[in-house]
Amino acid sequence: GDSVTQMEGPVTLSEEAFLTINCTYTATGYPSLFWYVQYPGEGLQLLLKATKADDKGSNKGFEATYRKETTSFHLEKGSVQVSDSAVYFCALSDRGTDKLIFGTGTRLQVFP
Amino acid sequence: EPEVTQTPSHQVTQMGQEVILRCVPISNHLYFYWYRQILGQKVEFLVSFYNNEISEKSEIFDDQFSVERPDGSNFTLKIRSTKLEDSAMYFCASSLTSGTRGETQYFGPGTRLLVL
């Protein structure tokens, strides 16, 4: 069945460092791909999404490109801030189904 | 900005007791969902609901679970006889249109359920 695999955390970075969080997926169809973020004490918030191959989602300096050939949707940010500290979830939604399938989440800790 | 709200934020119950988790989706949304996250594990889909009926459910969503939209604003998840393994964070979500088209699902802050 469909699945999402994320890199293990925590990822610990200094402020202004470059961030990559890897995400790969397995799907039978042509899924839509999402990154959600969960700040401490809050719910899951959509960070960005891409609905077809080669689309790039971007928001708040984060970006991810839907790569069908490598079945990947890696999250990147050029310069992280302390306020980016959160748990990041990669997810997919395959066509014909309502459900989101999530990865395990990756905790990002950014220190000044 | 409209948001999904959930109550209570924390619930502690005894094994075998019934619990009802409540959610208020975004007001003009038509599709509603419940997910759960057992500590240290993935967020898992439980059920989706549209037009007053279940549109999709997972294997987890067995006969002890039920969902209801009792009025125009609330969306509830009932667990009839809780088990220890039901301890988890439960997330409600809503979307304007069907998730099958890659529609964004908006999540609430969650209810942490602890079954003793």
Side-chain angles (χ1 to χ4, degrees), chain B residues 77-97:
Chain B
L77 174 68
K78 181 191 290 187
I79 309 175
R80 283 193 190 81
S81 178
T82 50
K83 304 171 188 170
L84 296 177
E85 55 265 36
D86 294 328
S87 295
M89 179 74 90
Y90 288 81
F91 293 105
C92 173
S94 69
S95 63
L96 183 60
T97 62

Side-chain angles (χ1 to χ4, degrees), chain B residues 35-60:
Chain B
Y35 292 81
R36 78 173 186 189
Q37 185 181 30
I38 295 171
L39 192 62
Q41 299 185 24
K42 295 185 179 184
V43 177
E44 303 172 292
F45 170 81
L46 292 177
V47 65
S48 60
F49 190 85
Y50 168 70
N51 199 26
N52 280 320
E53 60 183 34
I54 291 172
S55 50
E56 188 173 354
K57 62 181 181 179
S58 72
E59 293 175 352
I60 303 167

Side-chain angles (χ1 to χ4, degrees), chain A residues 3-5 32 34 36 38 41-44 46 49 51 89 93-104, chain B residues 31 33 35 37 41-45 48 55-56 89 91 98-110:
Chain A
S3 66
V4 175
T5 301
S32 297
F34 304 81
Y36 279 84
Q38 186 177 30
E42 299 185 17
L44 299 167
L46 179 70
K49 71 177 186 181
T51 57
F89 293 90
S93 172
D94 212 344
R95 296 198 188 281
T97 174
D98 285 332
K99 65 184 178 186
L100 285 170
I101 296 172
F102 285 87
T104 52
Chain B
Y31 292 79
Y33 313 85
Y35 292 81
Q37 185 181 30
Q41 299 185 24
K42 295 185 179 184
V43 177
E44 303 172 292
F45 170 81
S48 60
S55 50
E56 188 173 354
M89 179 74 90
F91 293 105
S98 170
T100 62
R101 303 177 199 167
E103 180 72 13
T104 297
Q105 295 181 22
Y106 294 84
F107 283 76

Side-chain angles (χ1 to χ4, degrees), chain A residues 1 6-7 21 33 36 41 44-45 66 70 77 91 97 104 106:
Chain A
Q6 282 182 244
M7 62 189 289
I21 300 178
L33 302 173
Y36 279 84
L44 299 167
Q45 301 175 22
Y66 188 139
T70 54
K77 186 175 185 182
T97 174
T104 52
T106 302

